[in-house]
Amino acid sequence: MEYNIRGPDGELRELVVQSKDGIFTCEALSEFEEISFKKGTESQLLIFSSDGKCEKAHCAKVGDTWWIHYAGRVIKTDIIELGSSGEDDAESGLSAPMPGTILEVLVEIGDKVSSGQSLLIMEAMKMEHRITAPFDAIVDEIHFSVGDRCDQGSPLISLNQTQE
Amino acid sequence: MHLLIIIDDGGWRKLDKFIENFSHSDNPFTSVLIANRGEIACRIIRACRELGLSSVAVYAENDATSLFVEMADSAILLPGEQLAETYLNAEAIIAAAHASGAGAIHPGFGFLSERADFAQAVTSAGLVWVGPSPHAITSMGDKMTARIAMRAAGVPVIPGEEIEETDEQASFLAIQAASEIVGYPLLLKASAGGGGKGMRAVEHPDGLLEAAKGARREAITAFGDGRVYVERLLTGSRHIEIQVLADRHGNTIHLGERECSIQRRHQKVLEESPSSAVDAELREYMGKAAVAAAEAVDYEGAGTVEFLLSQSGEFFFLEMNTRIQVEHPITELVTGTDLVQQQLLIAAGNPISQSIMQRIPSGKTGLRMQGHAIEVRVYAENPATGFLPAIGPLQVFIAPEGPGVRLDTGVRQGDNITPNYDPMIAKLVVHAPDRDSAIRRMRVALHDFVILGCTTNINFLSDLLSHHEFVAGNTPTNFIDLHWAEGWSEELGEKGNLFFSAVSGVAESVGIHRKYRGSSDIGDGLAGGSIERGDPFNPFLSINRRLP
């Protein structure tokens, strides 16, 4: 099976997984060491190294995101369905990080803003969050006004990056 | 003990006798209503059960399937969508107590716990209030009045200026004037504040107005009181607090200190007891000051006196919290006490238990401490984005176990972390003979804690517990900003990134997501009932943000 996976570093990797008699291997890992996998109970995945040692990972999938617990760390990856390219990067600082309410809009359309400048303040989970400009830009559009509720991922402000 | 009705044999009778029977006719209550939710509600229910008291939960609609509702002997719905209609609705809560036959109300922390008018209303309604008198809450609850009272009682306070103006413009002018006297860096604090809300550190005069506006607004939202005062920001200091217990028979004692210096956004992340900066002599000094503070307001029950300990060893009164604290478990572990049970016993008119009083060394005001305890707060938040709160399903939730490991939580696998309430998922607490072994025990416990489906701060906490400055005990309140000045991020390296990507490919291929879907079926019960429609994988769709 072939998968496109966006790793924790944001890199998209094409990975091929083979299975034989319930033992799974991934080609890409062979350049480091010989590792094989086997399903465990419930959320467990058993990981065998070439010296015969067995470790466990816990895995769960929510939407297209895999949550992996291994060696005391929880790490997320995304499975990218082939053909559904161009997924918007929701990490952009200009979308609402949480569902919440707009408390204050600090800029107006047409304003010149510099990188790091506060654009608006929203309130979510009883805390205030400051949305700042990721680069020098001119404010193109403001999608919410004070008192509006916004959902997670809603674009809040559109910026036109100014060229230096 | 309703089970007696069904299983009426000798064994159960014995158990019933064994439980120190609280329900003697001379006790003022046999049933306690818990005016709170989540983890602390579960904690109080356990204490009630061990004392042979029955428990009554009150809950909002979106908590209908929460653990504390399930654990309580009975539960009453508080209708309404706003917090003001549910957990902050004093009238409805008192009515629920009457309706359920509860004789006492335990407020937990947050919500109505430090509202003197609520304490008064509870008492006036003929119910027992599990907490200090309304007078004590009022004196200590207003941070400015408390400063003035403590100065009068001879307890040292942080240099600063009280601001009496309530009008927005007038208060900004007063803050401006005060800032010139206090100097920079300074701290703006909500007078009605707590929990880091309505608090802003200001490094430079340029940021003052914006910070004052933010603090005022947050204070109005959180407490309905926008007054903000100015304090000098003592950098490099530690946050040390003293637990006190007082009864109405003239006993006021302290149970040693908790160090809570490790904070982010003025909210505590890790607490430990004892503090590596406090020796027996300083403990006795601070303990005496805390006891004096409690006695100055005729305190009753469990309370906490917070101090800042400067690098030079001077300590200053910060505030007194007139309720049980989030971090109370570490004190319970190092002193061998159950603070919530003591709260209930004291509220019923009993003196502090003999088993505790007997362990106070003669000539001292405080309990001897044994071993070392550490608590970490597991939050639903992303440490890589400046600790922004996170939400999501607890699709896998496997808690660590073992000797000296305690988990206080209000959730279980299959529950959903929503933006409706505080993002704290659990408190993980360890107890070991000394600080080094407690750190090792906590590292292992964090390593074994599996939470999948919602981003948590566990990876960050593991890094914190391994930081050499933390291990060395050098823990000023700005520890996180100091050592992660550019923010925290996960450092996996190319090999790690590839490995986790490959594991998810294998997991997909194995089909773990088809075989295993957590304790509840994701298709129709992801949020334990709180998601009604729409894409079952999107936990945000039907959630409405509700604030007081």
Side-chain angles (χ1 to χ4, degrees):
Chain A
M1 292 289 284
E2 195 182 318
Y3 302 101
N4 282 347
I5 293 163
R6 183 172 294 149
D9 52 354
E11 288 288 311
L12 199 61
R13 293 180 178 82
E14 266 187 43
L15 294 165
V16 180
V17 177
Q18 283 109 1
S19 74
K20 199 180 160 193
D21 305 326
I23 306 288
F24 293 75
T25 49
C26 180
E27 247 172 30
L29 288 177
S30 58
E31 61 179 278
F32 296 116
E33 54 214 301
E34 251 176 65
I35 297 177
S36 61
F37 302 87
K38 210 176 149 183
K39 79 175 180 211
T41 54
E42 302 189 325
S43 59
Q44 277 181 8
L45 185 68
L46 307 180
I47 305 173
F48 298 92
S49 46
S50 50
D51 56 8
K53 271 209 279 190
C54 174
E55 292 181 297
K56 292 180 191 89
H58 285 272
C59 314
K61 195 181 183 191
V62 180
D64 291 329
T65 301
W66 271 103
W67 297 73
I68 312 284
H69 177 273
Y70 171 74
R73 311 299 274 196
V74 171
I75 302 294
K76 285 193 299 181
T77 68
D78 290 306
I79 296 263
I80 309 296
E81 294 291 327
L82 292 168
S84 72
S85 62
E87 240 181 274
D88 280 20
D89 193 357
E91 295 295 305
S92 151
L94 300 177
S95 54
M98 299 284 299
T101 311
I102 306 299
L103 291 180
E104 203 171 334
V105 179
L106 305 166
V107 292
E108 285 173 29
I109 292 171
D111 279 5
K112 263 177 123 167
V113 295
S114 46
S115 174
Q117 186 179 334
S118 298
L119 303 175
L120 56 79
I121 299 171
M122 64 175 292
E123 180 281 315
M125 280 184 149
K126 296 187 201 161
M127 299 292 294
E128 289 191 3
H129 302 289
R130 196 165 289 274
I131 309 296
T132 55
F135 38 71
D136 295 350
I138 290 167
V139 178
D140 198 23
E141 243 182 295
I142 301 170
H143 303 283
F144 289 91
S145 40
V146 173
D148 285 354
R149 287 187 31 82
C150 57
D151 291 327
Q152 185 175 43
S154 311
L156 299 170
I157 279 190
S158 303
L159 297 180
N160 261 337
Q161 189 162 8
T162 39
Q163 303 299 328
E164 273 308 310
Chain B
M1 289 281 109
H2 54 279
L3 274 172
L4 281 175
I5 301 161
I6 310 163
I7 313 167
D8 191 12
D9 69 7
W12 283 95
R13 285 256 178 255
K14 262 184 225 148
L15 177 63
D16 194 35
K17 284 229 173 62
F18 173 73
I19 291 172
E20 199 181 334
N21 218 331
F22 207 93
S23 36
H24 292 317
S25 52
D26 56 337
N27 276 309
F29 57 89
T30 57
S31 172
V32 179
L33 181 139
I34 297 132
N36 215 299
R37 63 175 301 283
E39 171 270 320
I40 192 61
C42 295
R43 170 72 187 88
I44 297 164
I45 292 167
R46 286 202 173 88
C48 288
R49 291 177 66 193
E50 288 179 29
L51 288 172
L53 295 163
S54 54
S55 54
V56 181
V58 287
Y59 66 99
E61 184 65 52
N62 54 19
D63 262 330
T65 58
S66 292
L67 184 60
F68 74 97
V69 176
E70 187 183 297
M71 276 176 64
D73 291 316
S74 60
I76 294 175
L77 172 71
L78 299 172
E81 302 217 325
Q82 307 291 325
L83 276 180
E85 298 170 274
T86 58
Y87 298 110
L88 292 176
N89 188 343
E91 218 171 287
I93 290 169
I94 290 168
H98 285 312
S100 64
I105 292 184
H106 193 309
F109 47 67
F111 294 126
L112 295 168
S113 62
E114 289 178 286
R115 287 262 297 270
D117 54 344
F118 181 58
Q120 186 58 58
V122 168
T123 314
S124 304
L127 301 163
V128 174
W129 167 251
V130 184
S133 68
H135 162 71
I137 299 175
T138 310
S139 320
M140 288 301 187
D142 192 275
K143 309 302 180 218
M144 279 196 268
T145 333
R147 280 172 59 89
I148 296 162
M150 287 305 101
R151 257 199 307 245
V155 180
V157 301
I158 299 176
E161 290 288 316
E162 288 87 28
I163 309 277
E164 298 298 345
E165 284 78 1
T166 50
D167 173 71
E168 180 164 1
Q169 284 314 316
S171 71
F172 289 159
L173 284 175
I175 287 169
Q176 185 83 49
S179 74
E180 278 155 32
I181 302 164
V182 174
Y184 289 87
L186 57 80
L187 203 55
L188 299 175
K189 273 178 151 180
S191 190
K197 291 177 183 107
M199 199 192 283
R200 292 287 189 283
V202 189
E203 303 286 335
H204 192 267
D206 289 351
L208 184 69
L209 187 62
E210 202 185 340
K213 276 168 105 175
R216 181 185 168 86
R217 190 168 43 216
E218 215 168 83
I220 290 171
T221 314
F223 317 109
D225 177 347
R227 286 175 308 137
V228 169
Y229 68 100
V230 185
E231 248 177 31
R232 185 178 302 160
L233 180 63
L234 296 170
T235 48
S237 55
R238 295 173 185 244
H239 177 117
I240 309 280
E241 58 186 34
I242 304 281
Q243 176 72 52
V244 295
L245 268 183
D247 61 28
R248 66 184 72 150
H249 304 275
N251 302 307
T252 302
I253 63 165
H254 76 86
L255 292 90
E257 80 280 9
R258 292 185 288 259
E259 172 161 358
C260 317
S261 300
I262 309 282
Q263 310 185 353
R264 52 111 188 81
R265 285 200 308 229
H266 304 292
Q267 282 181 342
K268 297 162 188 167
V269 173
L270 179 147
E271 303 97 351
E272 58 184 312
S273 181
S275 161
S276 47
V278 177
D279 58 17
E281 196 187 353
L282 182 57
R283 181 170 303 125
E284 191 58 20
Y285 271 126
M286 295 182 83
K288 282 209 172 103
V291 166
E295 283 175 340
V297 293
D298 296 320
Y299 200 81
E300 189 189 306
T304 297
V305 184
E306 297 189 339
F307 296 100
L308 268 190
L309 178 66
S310 76
Q311 279 171 311
S312 59
E314 287 175 287
F315 62 89
F316 302 99
F317 172 83
L318 265 182
E319 59 184 58
M320 181 168 188
N321 295 311
T322 54
R323 51 167 163 85
I324 194 77
Q325 294 273 97
V326 175
E327 59 273 22
H328 75 274
I330 53 175
T331 297
E332 295 187 326
L333 294 175
V334 293
T335 58
T337 53
D338 187 313
L339 290 171
V340 180
Q341 288 190 20
Q342 287 304 312
Q343 284 189 297
L344 292 163
L345 290 163
I346 290 168
N350 299 289
I352 298 168
S353 293
Q354 269 307 304
S355 61
I356 294 175
M357 295 304 289
Q358 279 164 358
R359 284 185 288 129
I360 298 174
S362 66
K364 298 282 165 88
T365 50
L367 214 54
R368 190 174 285 127
M369 296 151 89
Q370 198 167 46
H372 196 97
I374 302 176
E375 172 184 282
V376 293
R377 302 191 188 185
V378 176
Y379 285 107
E381 66 182 14
N382 188 353
T385 57
F387 303 99
L388 268 183
I391 51 181
L394 300 174
Q395 202 167 337
V396 176
F397 185 89
I398 303 170
E401 288 172 25
V405 178
R406 164 175 168 179
L407 189 82
D408 281 24
T409 185
V411 298
R412 68 291 217 212
Q413 186 162 292
D415 282 358
N416 214 28
I417 303 299
T418 71
N420 297 327
Y421 302 106
D422 191 89
M424 191 171 79
I425 300 176
K427 308 185 306 207
L428 179 59
V429 197
V430 298
H431 187 213
D434 53 49
R435 189 170 190 267
D436 285 346
S437 47
I439 291 173
R440 286 195 295 271
R441 182 159 279 172
M442 182 59 90
R443 282 192 201 141
V444 172
L446 284 167
H447 182 283
D448 292 348
F449 205 158
V450 186
I451 299 178
L452 302 181
C454 179
T455 303
T456 76
N457 60 342
I458 290 178
N459 293 7
F460 168 75
L461 291 171
S462 293
D463 289 356
L464 175 62
L465 266 291
S466 300
H467 198 286
H468 63 278
E469 288 292 336
F470 175 77
V471 174
N474 300 325
T475 51
T477 49
N478 59 341
F479 187 91
I480 292 177
D481 294 334
L482 192 66
H483 296 296
W484 285 280
E486 302 297 311
W488 175 91
S489 61
E490 186 72 57
E491 303 294 345
L492 285 175
E494 171 55 24
K495 195 174 168 179
N497 282 299
L498 174 64
F499 178 80
F500 279 98
S501 301
V503 169
S504 38
V506 172
E508 182 86 18
S509 198
V510 169
I512 288 177
H513 55 306
R514 287 190 295 274
K515 279 198 67 66
Y516 181 65
R517 312 188 118 190
S519 65
S520 66
D521 190 272
I522 290 160
D524 43 57
L526 181 76
S530 70
I531 302 270
E532 286 121 33
R533 65 196 135 73
D535 177 2
F537 293 113
N538 185 343
F540 319 133
L541 277 182
S542 63
I543 291 167
N544 292 312
R545 183 82 185 97
R546 282 151 205 164
L547 274 172

